[in-house]
Amino acid sequence: MTSTATPPASRTRVTLTITAAILAIIVVVFFLFAGLYADVLWFDQLGFLGVLTTQWVATVVMFLVGFVAMAVPVWVSIEIAFRARPVYAKLNSQLDRYQQVIEPLRRLAMFGIPAVLGIFAGVSTAARWETVLQYLNRTSFGQKDPQFNLDLGFYFFELPFFHGVVGYASAIVLISFVAAFATSYLYGAFRVLGREVRISRSARIQLSITAALFLAIQAVSLWLDQYLTLAGSSAGFIGTGAGYTEVNSVIPSKAILAGIAALVALLFIFTAIVGRWRLPVIGTALLIVSSLLVGSVYPFIVQRFQVDPSARVLESPYIERSIDATRDAYGVAEVVEQTYDAETDATAGALREDAETTANIRIIDPALVSDSFAQLERFKQYYKFSPHLDVDRYEIDGKKQDTVIAVRELDQDGLGDAQSWYNNTVVYTHGYGVVAAYGNQRTTDGQPVFLESGIPSTGDLGKFEPRIYFGENSPTYSIVGGSKDSEPIEHDYPSGDDDVEEVSTSGTSTTFAGDGGPKLDGIFAKLIYSIKYQSTDIFLSSAVTDDSQILYDRNPITRVQKVAPYLTPDSDAYPAVVDGKIVWIVDAYTTSTNYPYSKTEQLSTAIADTNTKAPLYAVDNLNYIRNSVKATVDAYSGEVTLYAWDEADPVLKTWSKIFPTTIKSKDDMSAELRAHVRYPADLFKVQRSILGSFHVTDTNSFYSGNDQWITPNDPTSPASNPTLQPPYYLTMQVPGTDNPAFSLYSSFIPRASGTSSSNNLTGYLAVNADDGPDYGKLTLLTLPRQNTVPGPGQVQNAFSSDTVVANQLAIIKRGDTEVLLGNLLTLPVGGGLLYVQPVYVQATGDTSYPLLRKVLVGFGDKIAFEDTLDEALDSLFEGDSGANAGDGGVEPGTEEPDPGTEEPDPGTEEPATGNAALTAALAEAKTALDDRNAAYAENDLVKAAEADLRLTRALAKAIAASN
């Protein structure tokens, strides 16, 4: 007899499969762990580890609460239904088959189903950790709502928590009811005999008690719904909050329905005791019918037949509530409103009393001069400037000066073929220096006048750390640092004939000496970040040592968002030289949608304009906002500091309890830092959007809507796709104030109704942006309706259609040049409104950049177009404006004479005679011809035109001399 042994192939395959699955799980888990551990290292290095651990602990606790709260009741419900099943129940064939299939899996199902449901519930509740922590650390507002006389903190912190608990409890009880019903049915607790349904006593008690509990929860939910009406949508005029219909029908109906639901719950308890279903069934039907009639039909009847015909009268008290609440919630309740009788006649000396404002008028447009900064101050292709520069102010020679400022950031795309992991990660790691220009000055040829420039940086801003390791355009990650004995390999700044191919020999090098990122001080740390960034070079490169640090999440806004997840950062971070270093200043807001009666806005829509694009889908609704925090991010070390700017904000107080020690008092801010704080543009945009309607405080006028305003379109935006005009920072003295201040302003025109549209100016909103007692003071100038003051669109049209302006622009546009119109500024000076617009000229070559050549000004129906703002103002105001502009010393129409020579004035010079005159004229013609050729080579047609004029004059002299 012979036997053959068959190898256990199937067992081997199973073993390999299990092993592979285990290895896959280990790899996935380690990848997840790597990400989590990298977060720990990042937060710990930055000093905000408590923020991360608080979130994690809260998330885990909430997950466990959600898991247990769902899994245990569902399991108990199934267990009770199973244990109380009829043991000798006669099952039909179908149920018998079901039992045969399910019975082998019963134990798994009894624990597995609750566990799976618990996981889903846990994930859901884990996402609500913020709501729970705010409730546990709630702060009183000290203000009460006008309907229920409850503290506003109830609507911010308590109502969301209670509503969430009730909703979650409803889901638990409902699922438990379904689980009990299914188990009871499966094990024969229900019997259908013809038209009669019989239920076992145990099932009846369990289901009726569960139903009673569900209805009791619904009663609580309906009662809470009363309070939700104060921040919900209104059926009437006010849009948000409880109007006449809500107060007189919806809120009472919620209370009535809550009472009915509680009564029906008692009827189900009665059924559990006596075993009769008729009363609870009737009660449930009554609740459903009442919900339709009392909850929907009755409010509709009240709104349609009582409110709509008399809305102006009936809604008046609720409109007043809406006006008061909205103005308070958006911080515009204290706006100072005053009538401004704007003059429209430009008379001589009109600007004499506004001399300081006139001297600070900004003619450098931060949205246009980025290319000028790049061509004049980039030096190397691996540097770049932000496409839209920032406006700040600095004290220069004892006087505050509006400044257009930018940091020279790293642009690794400019490395071209020299890009590699080594160069991109450990060599080219940072930008270098600040470039700042006077906002009110220009050079003779139209370039900005720099007060800080060059590499290394020199200028009026003093000594400061110039390296930019953390910025808006920093690389995804860099590895920096090293031992004191190691050779520096980080490219610092170019010197001599710097070449990106040979950075170690042609440029200066440095080693990062700060504490900017997690240390790569071991194999494990290197492995973690190799996994995070999927790069073996991090693990294998000899340039990565135990002294190395990895810098990432380097955008200032990103860093603030991570360490303060409860804040909404402003869309624009701006740099400032403060206390010997460059810092990014980030404004941050606390927001909510729970302020009773306050109008709801979409943040991203409200801030959209020429400089800020609107998203495709806006999901950031709010009806309360405070600039509660000013944050700084050190451009060298990446250190993040949060300062409580609005220390009275109850929302910030609540978060400060949740994350203690993370926010410093604003008293800890240095005087130099406070000097560079400014009023945030995003908040101002939201406020101007609100004041477009809520500048009206009379309820009748508000209802009629005959005085609605809107921000005008930016006159420089394309007509096919117009965008709103952004607000502008300027140093000026707003009418009604005592001194000039760094301010942010915007203007208003009437909101179009139907096909009618008017671009007349109706209002002018300005806010003091300087730190001090008047910081945040809003001033709203309202223009009388009997005076027609042109708005930005009308002024831009007047500029473009003026014959003199059009002809001069046509001359400038000849050849390969284009005209760029700068920001159209509006200033309340001279008793009226002065419009100022710089005009730039740019050739079409690849290396061209805008040059400021002309300035347009307008006042009333008069306009002027001159080479300088100073000349334009004098021309506009009958030869003497009464004040000097910042560019008063510039004489753009002329060329600087060569050293040792003097250009003759053809109108005054005595004609030369003989061969000497001819020789001089020909030499002059040759110089002009050379200048013209050089200008054409530079694609500078303005200089070419000037040289042409000098050439023509010189040739005329030569002809006269030869005769």
PDB file of all heavy atoms in Angstrom, residues 39-56:
ATOM      1  N   ASP A  39       2.889  66.026  14.519  1.00  0.00           N
ATOM      2  CA  ASP A  39       2.111  67.122  15.093  1.00  0.00           C
ATOM      3  C   ASP A  39       2.553  67.410  16.522  1.00  0.00           C
ATOM      4  O   ASP A  39       2.656  68.574  16.933  1.00  0.00           O
ATOM      5  CB  ASP A  39       0.620  66.786  15.075  1.00  0.00           C
ATOM      6  CG  ASP A  39       0.020  66.889  13.683  1.00  0.00           C
ATOM      7  OD1 ASP A  39       0.628  67.572  12.833  1.00  0.00           O
ATOM      8  OD2 ASP A  39      -1.052  66.302  13.453  1.00  0.00           O
ATOM      9  N   VAL A  40       2.810  66.352  17.276  1.00  0.00           N
ATOM     10  CA  VAL A  40       3.277  66.537  18.656  1.00  0.00           C
ATOM     11  C   VAL A  40       4.589  67.308  18.664  1.00  0.00           C
ATOM     12  O   VAL A  40       4.770  68.267  19.434  1.00  0.00           O
ATOM     13  CB  VAL A  40       3.438  65.173  19.355  1.00  0.00           C
ATOM     14  CG1 VAL A  40       4.163  65.336  20.694  1.00  0.00           C
ATOM     15  CG2 VAL A  40       2.084  64.521  19.583  1.00  0.00           C
ATOM     16  N   LEU A  41       5.521  66.916  17.808  1.00  0.00           N
ATOM     17  CA  LEU A  41       6.814  67.590  17.752  1.00  0.00           C
ATOM     18  C   LEU A  41       6.658  69.052  17.352  1.00  0.00           C
ATOM     19  O   LEU A  41       7.318  69.942  17.906  1.00  0.00           O
ATOM     20  CB  LEU A  41       7.737  66.864  16.764  1.00  0.00           C
ATOM     21  CG  LEU A  41       8.156  65.438  17.139  1.00  0.00           C
ATOM     22  CD1 LEU A  41       8.976  64.815  16.016  1.00  0.00           C
ATOM     23  CD2 LEU A  41       8.940  65.422  18.442  1.00  0.00           C
ATOM     24  N   TRP A  42       5.773  69.311  16.381  1.00  0.00           N
ATOM     25  CA  TRP A  42       5.580  70.684  15.883  1.00  0.00           C
ATOM     26  C   TRP A  42       4.987  71.573  16.970  1.00  0.00           C
ATOM     27  O   TRP A  42       5.496  72.663  17.255  1.00  0.00           O
ATOM     28  CB  TRP A  42       4.667  70.653  14.656  1.00  0.00           C
ATOM     29  CG  TRP A  42       4.557  71.953  13.919  1.00  0.00           C
ATOM     30  CD1 TRP A  42       5.347  72.391  12.907  1.00  0.00           C
ATOM     31  CD2 TRP A  42       3.581  72.982  14.144  1.00  0.00           C
ATOM     32  NE1 TRP A  42       4.931  73.624  12.473  1.00  0.00           N
ATOM     33  CE2 TRP A  42       3.854  74.012  13.218  1.00  0.00           C
ATOM     34  CE3 TRP A  42       2.521  73.132  15.016  1.00  0.00           C
ATOM     35  CZ2 TRP A  42       3.094  75.174  13.154  1.00  0.00           C
ATOM     36  CZ3 TRP A  42       1.756  74.304  14.964  1.00  0.00           C
ATOM     37  CH2 TRP A  42       2.042  75.298  14.035  1.00  0.00           C
ATOM     38  N   PHE A  43       3.909  71.122  17.596  1.00  0.00           N
ATOM     39  CA  PHE A  43       3.276  71.923  18.638  1.00  0.00           C
ATOM     40  C   PHE A  43       4.182  72.085  19.851  1.00  0.00           C
ATOM     41  O   PHE A  43       4.213  73.157  20.475  1.00  0.00           O
ATOM     42  CB  PHE A  43       1.941  71.292  19.053  1.00  0.00           C
ATOM     43  CG  PHE A  43       0.791  71.624  18.144  1.00  0.00           C
ATOM     44  CD1 PHE A  43       0.494  70.840  17.042  1.00  0.00           C
ATOM     45  CD2 PHE A  43      -0.001  72.731  18.398  1.00  0.00           C
ATOM     46  CE1 PHE A  43      -0.559  71.142  16.211  1.00  0.00           C
ATOM     47  CE2 PHE A  43      -1.072  73.055  17.575  1.00  0.00           C
ATOM     48  CZ  PHE A  43      -1.354  72.259  16.469  1.00  0.00           C
ATOM     49  N   ASP A  44       4.903  71.045  20.190  1.00  0.00           N
ATOM     50  CA  ASP A  44       5.778  71.110  21.349  1.00  0.00           C
ATOM     51  C   ASP A  44       6.897  72.115  21.119  1.00  0.00           C
ATOM     52  O   ASP A  44       7.231  72.904  22.013  1.00  0.00           O
ATOM     53  CB  ASP A  44       6.349  69.724  21.633  1.00  0.00           C
ATOM     54  CG  ASP A  44       7.176  69.692  22.915  1.00  0.00           C
ATOM     55  OD1 ASP A  44       6.724  70.282  23.913  1.00  0.00           O
ATOM     56  OD2 ASP A  44       8.262  69.087  22.901  1.00  0.00           O
ATOM     57  N   GLN A  45       7.488  72.081  19.938  1.00  0.00           N
ATOM     58  CA  GLN A  45       8.556  73.027  19.643  1.00  0.00           C
ATOM     59  C   GLN A  45       8.052  74.464  19.706  1.00  0.00           C
ATOM     60  O   GLN A  45       8.746  75.377  20.155  1.00  0.00           O
ATOM     61  CB  GLN A  45       9.146  72.723  18.257  1.00  0.00           C
ATOM     62  CG  GLN A  45      10.293  73.635  17.837  1.00  0.00           C
ATOM     63  CD  GLN A  45       9.822  74.938  17.222  1.00  0.00           C
ATOM     64  OE1 GLN A  45       8.821  74.956  16.513  1.00  0.00           O
ATOM     65  NE2 GLN A  45      10.540  76.015  17.491  1.00  0.00           N
ATOM     66  N   LEU A  46       6.821  74.678  19.283  1.00  0.00           N
ATOM     67  CA  LEU A  46       6.261  76.028  19.234  1.00  0.00           C
ATOM     68  C   LEU A  46       5.733  76.483  20.590  1.00  0.00           C
ATOM     69  O   LEU A  46       5.433  77.661  20.778  1.00  0.00           O
ATOM     70  CB  LEU A  46       5.136  76.078  18.194  1.00  0.00           C
ATOM     71  CG  LEU A  46       4.801  77.419  17.560  1.00  0.00           C
ATOM     72  CD1 LEU A  46       6.046  78.069  16.959  1.00  0.00           C
ATOM     73  CD2 LEU A  46       3.740  77.249  16.489  1.00  0.00           C
ATOM     74  N   GLY A  47       5.608  75.549  21.533  1.00  0.00           N
ATOM     75  CA  GLY A  47       5.120  75.910  22.854  1.00  0.00           C
ATOM     76  C   GLY A  47       3.618  75.872  22.997  1.00  0.00           C
ATOM     77  O   GLY A  47       3.067  76.432  23.951  1.00  0.00           O
ATOM     78  N   PHE A  48       2.948  75.209  22.067  1.00  0.00           N
ATOM     79  CA  PHE A  48       1.490  75.122  22.096  1.00  0.00           C
ATOM     80  C   PHE A  48       1.023  73.668  22.162  1.00  0.00           C
ATOM     81  O   PHE A  48      -0.044  73.336  21.658  1.00  0.00           O
ATOM     82  CB  PHE A  48       0.891  75.794  20.858  1.00  0.00           C
ATOM     83  CG  PHE A  48       0.929  77.294  20.893  1.00  0.00           C
ATOM     84  CD1 PHE A  48       2.049  77.981  20.461  1.00  0.00           C
ATOM     85  CD2 PHE A  48      -0.143  78.025  21.370  1.00  0.00           C
ATOM     86  CE1 PHE A  48       2.096  79.371  20.479  1.00  0.00           C
ATOM     87  CE2 PHE A  48      -0.110  79.411  21.406  1.00  0.00           C
ATOM     88  CZ  PHE A  48       1.019  80.085  20.966  1.00  0.00           C
ATOM     89  N   LEU A  49       1.821  72.816  22.797  1.00  0.00           N
ATOM     90  CA  LEU A  49       1.444  71.408  22.872  1.00  0.00           C
ATOM     91  C   LEU A  49       0.115  71.229  23.605  1.00  0.00           C
ATOM     92  O   LEU A  49      -0.668  70.326  23.282  1.00  0.00           O
ATOM     93  CB  LEU A  49       2.544  70.602  23.573  1.00  0.00           C
ATOM     94  CG  LEU A  49       2.329  69.091  23.653  1.00  0.00           C
ATOM     95  CD1 LEU A  49       2.175  68.483  22.256  1.00  0.00           C
ATOM     96  CD2 LEU A  49       3.469  68.415  24.408  1.00  0.00           C
ATOM     97  N   GLY A  50      -0.149  72.094  24.570  1.00  0.00           N
ATOM     98  CA  GLY A  50      -1.408  72.010  25.297  1.00  0.00           C
ATOM     99  C   GLY A  50      -2.624  72.168  24.406  1.00  0.00           C
ATOM    100  O   GLY A  50      -3.685  71.588  24.678  1.00  0.00           O
ATOM    101  N   VAL A  51      -2.497  72.962  23.347  1.00  0.00           N
ATOM    102  CA  VAL A  51      -3.609  73.123  22.403  1.00  0.00           C
ATOM    103  C   VAL A  51      -3.909  71.804  21.718  1.00  0.00           C
ATOM    104  O   VAL A  51      -5.075  71.389  21.602  1.00  0.00           O
ATOM    105  CB  VAL A  51      -3.278  74.215  21.362  1.00  0.00           C
ATOM    106  CG1 VAL A  51      -4.355  74.281  20.281  1.00  0.00           C
ATOM    107  CG2 VAL A  51      -3.116  75.567  22.035  1.00  0.00           C
ATOM    108  N   LEU A  52      -2.852  71.121  21.276  1.00  0.00           N
ATOM    109  CA  LEU A  52      -3.043  69.846  20.594  1.00  0.00           C
ATOM    110  C   LEU A  52      -3.584  68.785  21.544  1.00  0.00           C
ATOM    111  O   LEU A  52      -4.544  68.074  21.209  1.00  0.00           O
ATOM    112  CB  LEU A  52      -1.718  69.388  19.993  1.00  0.00           C
ATOM    113  CG  LEU A  52      -1.756  68.069  19.206  1.00  0.00           C
ATOM    114  CD1 LEU A  52      -2.617  68.219  17.956  1.00  0.00           C
ATOM    115  CD2 LEU A  52      -0.351  67.624  18.830  1.00  0.00           C
ATOM    116  N   THR A  53      -2.991  68.673  22.728  1.00  0.00           N
ATOM    117  CA  THR A  53      -3.433  67.624  23.662  1.00  0.00           C
ATOM    118  C   THR A  53      -4.853  67.882  24.147  1.00  0.00           C
ATOM    119  O   THR A  53      -5.619  66.932  24.359  1.00  0.00           O
ATOM    120  CB  THR A  53      -2.468  67.531  24.852  1.00  0.00           C
ATOM    121  OG1 THR A  53      -2.357  68.826  25.478  1.00  0.00           O
ATOM    122  CG2 THR A  53      -1.098  67.064  24.397  1.00  0.00           C
ATOM    123  N   THR A  54      -5.208  69.149  24.327  1.00  0.00           N
ATOM    124  CA  THR A  54      -6.586  69.461  24.729  1.00  0.00           C
ATOM    125  C   THR A  54      -7.575  69.007  23.658  1.00  0.00           C
ATOM    126  O   THR A  54      -8.621  68.417  23.972  1.00  0.00           O
ATOM    127  CB  THR A  54      -6.744  70.972  24.985  1.00  0.00           C
ATOM    128  OG1 THR A  54      -5.891  71.363  26.054  1.00  0.00           O
ATOM    129  CG2 THR A  54      -8.189  71.311  25.349  1.00  0.00           C
ATOM    130  N   GLN A  55      -7.235  69.263  22.407  1.00  0.00           N
ATOM    131  CA  GLN A  55      -8.104  68.815  21.317  1.00  0.00           C
ATOM    132  C   GLN A  55      -8.188  67.294  21.287  1.00  0.00           C
ATOM    133  O   GLN A  55      -9.278  66.727  21.129  1.00  0.00           O
ATOM    134  CB  GLN A  55      -7.578  69.334  19.979  1.00  0.00           C
ATOM    135  CG  GLN A  55      -7.641  70.829  19.813  1.00  0.00           C
ATOM    136  CD  GLN A  55      -7.100  71.265  18.460  1.00  0.00           C
ATOM    137  OE1 GLN A  55      -7.702  71.032  17.421  1.00  0.00           O
ATOM    138  NE2 GLN A  55      -5.935  71.886  18.473  1.00  0.00           N
ATOM    139  N   TRP A  56      -7.039  66.646  21.418  1.00  0.00           N
ATOM    140  CA  TRP A  56      -7.032  65.177  21.357  1.00  0.00           C
ATOM    141  C   TRP A  56      -7.805  64.572  22.518  1.00  0.00           C
ATOM    142  O   TRP A  56      -8.615  63.664  22.323  1.00  0.00           O
ATOM    143  CB  TRP A  56      -5.588  64.687  21.369  1.00  0.00           C
ATOM    144  CG  TRP A  56      -4.906  64.814  20.045  1.00  0.00           C
ATOM    145  CD1 TRP A  56      -5.426  65.365  18.908  1.00  0.00           C
ATOM    146  CD2 TRP A  56      -3.582  64.376  19.718  1.00  0.00           C
ATOM    147  NE1 TRP A  56      -4.508  65.307  17.892  1.00  0.00           N
ATOM    148  CE2 TRP A  56      -3.366  64.703  18.356  1.00  0.00           C
ATOM    149  CE3 TRP A  56      -2.568  63.764  20.425  1.00  0.00           C
ATOM    150  CZ2 TRP A  56      -2.178  64.422  17.707  1.00  0.00           C
ATOM    151  CZ3 TRP A  56      -1.365  63.478  19.780  1.00  0.00           C
ATOM    152  CH2 TRP A  56      -1.177  63.807  18.430  1.00  0.00           C
TER     153      TRP A  56
END
